[in-house]
Amino acid sequence: MSWYRNTVWFVKGLREYTRGGYESASKHFNPADMEVDVSGRSFLVTGANSGIGKATAKEIARRGGTVHLVCRNKERAEVAQEEIVTETGNQNIFLHIVDISNPKEVWKFAEKFRNEHKLNVLINNAGCMVNNRELTEDGLEKNFATNTLGTYILTTALLPLLGKEADARVRQQVVLTERWAKAHRNIHFSVMHPGWADTPAVRSSMPDFYEKMKNSLRTEAQGADTVVWLAVSAEATKLPSGLFFQDRQPVATHLPLASTHSPLEDEEKLMAVLEEFSQNFRSSSPGT
């Protein structure tokens, strides 16, 4: 019976990630949560030239926020910037060309940004799904360099800037979010699962999955909904910092039988290793 219950739970959980799952959950959303004007507040969105990142940036721009797009590809980023300005009428959309997988480049950008701008909300959206082992020019595995180290450096470098503002917020990976939430009580940290959305990354990195699921995938806007809610709504910060969200609701960080729990000593080792990597690349970064 325990096997049966867990199988039923697993199948039900999978359905929640689809478009149907979003449509079901959205029946309980409060539209007033998103009826906000964030003029005067500054948002930084990484990986903002397509997919969920662009959808997030667009929704924030519609609400009057100043949006900094951090993208790797200049040509695609300029197209996205123009699209957001045209569709929203918001001229305060700024572009920064940064490769998040390059730690020296991230340090250089973050320290320059810290001296020139204010920041209320950091949205770490950039990521990659490289299926074959690929190393960066620094000899780092590319998924790790982008999804973990690059976003670790960007966040830690910008924490002093975020700490100056009221109602500062960050989105990041689960373990980092939990650790930072405990260490920085004046900043609201959260992490979310967008569900399975029809994005360029999914199409290119998971072609078989896309072909099987394409009729059930969420739109980019549906995938971005909880990101935007966490970034702009007053309701999000009424909940504790450090939680994991799906469709505007906090959910369990770990799945039953998935063995995703990590011992405290492993988490501490991860943070120590990331800090060591981070400082090594900072010291070798031009201009530091």
Side-chain angles (χ1 to χ4, degrees), residues 46-51 53-54 69-73 76-80:
T46 64
N49 66 289
S50 66
K54 185 172 74 172
L69 313 176
V70 176
C71 307
R72 181 175 58 87
N73 184 289
R76 291 202 296 265
E78 287 174 344
V79 171

Side-chain angles (χ1 to χ4, degrees), residues 179-194:
R179 302 285 300 196
W180 279 327
K182 293 175 182 176
H184 303 277
R185 301 288 184 177
N186 61 328
I187 300 173
H188 194 270
F189 291 84
S190 51
V191 64
M192 59 79 67
H193 194 302

Side-chain angles (χ1 to χ4, degrees), residues 198-264:
D198 186 351
T199 66
V202 168
R203 285 177 231 143
S204 61
S205 300
M206 305 170 68
D208 293 341
F209 172 82
Y210 174 74
E211 282 302 317
K212 291 176 183 176
M213 298 295 297
K214 61 183 177 183
N215 295 325
S216 301
L217 297 178
R218 298 180 177 201
T219 66
E220 292 173 347
Q222 290 172 341
D225 177 82
T226 298
V227 186
V228 179
W229 183 83
L230 289 168
V232 306
S233 76
E235 293 302 308
T237 52
K238 291 180 182 178
L239 295 163
S241 181
L243 297 182
F244 179 40
F245 289 82
Q246 182 180 333
D247 292 331
R248 305 192 193 181
Q249 292 293 321
V251 295
T253 306
H254 302 283
L255 302 177
L257 306 180
S259 301
T260 58
H261 289 272
S262 52
L264 179 60

Side-chain angles (χ1 to χ4, degrees), residues 99-103 127-151 153 173 205 270 273-274 277 281:
D99 183 351
I100 299 295
S101 73
N102 185 322
C128 66
M129 294 183 285
V130 179
N131 296 323
N132 297 316
R133 181 173 172 80
E134 185 177 330
L135 299 181
T136 68
E137 62 181 35
D138 296 300
L140 300 169
E141 193 278 321
K142 193 161 189 177
N143 290 297
F144 166 76
T146 306
N147 302 338
T148 306
L149 181 61
T151 43
I153 292 172
Q173 294 181 5
S205 300
L270 169 66
V273 168
L274 288 174
F277 268 119
F281 284 109

Side-chain angles (χ1 to χ4, degrees), residues 13-25:
L14 295 184
R15 289 173 182 161
E16 289 177 355
Y17 294 135
T18 64
R19 186 189 309 147
Y22 175 84
E23 291 169 349
S24 177

